[in-house]
Amino acid sequence: MQLFVNLPVKDLERSKKFFGELGFNLFGMADNMASVIISEQTQVMLLTEPAFGSYITKEIAAADTATEAILVLGMENPAQVDELVDKALALGATPAGVKQEDGIRYQRGFADLDGHHWEALCLAQPAG
């Protein structure tokens, strides 16, 4: 089974550049959408607001003023968490959420250029 998460974006070219510079591959790009490859089984579809709106019957949520979902990326170690979040912030993202560091998890977040909340998470591996 695959998972496709769809997100509305205001400026598709700007969003494609942002995620590309974060190190993600993009696939299946059309004039009104592009797919960010997270893994073999998971993609985040970036759709222009008009394209996104064509699939729904409600209003598009304003990600810059409310949080409807938190997208969490599992990382292998805390250094990868810091690298991804620091790079996102340098590319114009803003800090989001509350840093978690409790011996079980290390987690930091950012809001992308459209305000969508992303977290990078590393879970401690059990000893033994």
Side-chain angles (χ1 to χ4, degrees):
M1 184 177 300
Q2 293 183 305
L3 174 65
F4 297 89
V5 176
N6 293 275
L7 296 176
V9 297
K10 294 184 186 318
D11 182 333
L12 183 60
E13 292 304 315
R14 181 180 78 150
S15 293
K16 287 173 17 183
K17 182 178 181 199
F18 175 80
F19 286 101
E21 288 183 6
L22 277 180
F24 290 101
N25 291 320
L26 293 127
F27 172 78
M29 294 177 276
D31 289 342
N32 60 358
M33 66 181 71
S35 180
V36 178
I37 307 299
I38 304 298
S39 71
E40 281 186 33
Q41 301 300 320
T42 307
Q43 297 179 37
V44 173
M45 304 296 295
L46 306 173
L47 288 86
T48 62
E49 287 182 343
F52 188 90
S54 72
Y55 291 98
I56 62 175
T57 58
K58 299 178 186 178
E59 288 184 44
I60 296 174
D64 56 346
T65 61
T67 302
E68 183 174 16
I70 300 173
L71 303 150
V72 181
L73 300 169
M75 312 301 280
E76 292 183 21
N77 58 59
Q80 288 179 335
V81 170
D82 287 337
E83 179 181 350
L84 180 69
V85 174
D86 290 344
K87 186 183 269 187
L89 297 174
L91 292 169
T94 56
V98 177
K99 180 178 178 180
Q100 304 288 325
E101 188 171 15
D102 59 14
I104 297 171
R105 70 179 171 237
Y106 181 71
Q107 183 171 339
R108 290 177 58 202
F110 64 91
D112 68 20
L113 303 178
D114 287 282
H116 303 292
H117 187 152
W118 295 79
E119 292 280 333
L121 165 70
C122 172
L123 295 174
Q125 299 297 315

